[in-house]
């Protein structure tokens, strides 16, 4: 058995869970961007690599210090990604990606939507506590 100090459940358990879940979604987005970058010959490879790095930085901040700045950066990055690449499932796309590269985009879009829902839940909880 490992000697891991677990944080007890309490008032901070839900915000911590939301932050860790959002960090997981951000890391998943980084992985999807990385996979898409590795498996395709996309002309904007530098931009994709920067987005993957930004997702990882966001994930680390949300995991370690989930303050207002981390949540704000998370919302801005995910919103920008969704604006740049709106999720379109089940429709014809103009890209001929196949295999893992074909599902990396929709998976990243789904993770971004989940991440925004987590941020909304966190924001709602913060507003309720402030009252």
């Amino acid at each position: 058995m490992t000697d891991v100090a677990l944080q007890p459940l309490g008032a901070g358990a839900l915000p911590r869970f939301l932050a860790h879940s959002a960090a997981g979604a951000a890391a998943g987005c980084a992985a999807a961007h990385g996979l898409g970058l590795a498996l395709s010959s996309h002309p904007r490879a530098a931009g994709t690599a920067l987005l993957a790095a930004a997702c990882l930085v966001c994930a680390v901040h949300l995991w370690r210090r989930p303050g207002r700045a981390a949540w704000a950066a998370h919302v801005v990055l995910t919103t920008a990604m969704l604006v740049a690449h709106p999720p379109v499932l089940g429709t014809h796309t103009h890209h001929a990606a196949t295999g893992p590269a074909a599902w990396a985009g929709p998976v990243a879009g789904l993770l971004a939507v989940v991440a925004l829902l987590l941020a909304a839940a966190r924001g709602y909880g913060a507003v309720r506590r402030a009252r």
Side-chain angles (χ1 to χ4, degrees), residues 5 22 52 59 66 71 94 97 123 126-127 129 131:
W71 280 106
H94 298 285
V127 168
R129 275 192 311 279
R131 287 186 192 188

Side-chain angles (χ1 to χ4, degrees), residues 2-94:
T2 61
D3 186 24
V4 177
L6 296 176
Q7 297 176 349
L9 292 177
L14 181 60
R16 196 169 40 249
F17 172 76
L18 291 173
H20 288 178
S21 299
C29 283
H33 280 102
L35 182 65
L37 181 63
L39 297 177
S40 70
S41 58
H42 201 272
R44 293 178 268 183
T48 303
L50 285 173
L51 279 175
C55 289
L56 284 177
V57 169
C58 184
V60 169
H61 284 183
L62 281 169
W63 189 272
R64 297 189 75 190
R65 296 182 184 263
R68 287 182 182 169
W71 280 106
H74 177 69
V75 169
V76 167
L77 282 172
T78 10
T79 302
M81 191 192 92
L82 287 172
V83 168
H85 308 290
V88 285
L89 298 174
T91 61
H92 175 73
T93 61
H94 298 285

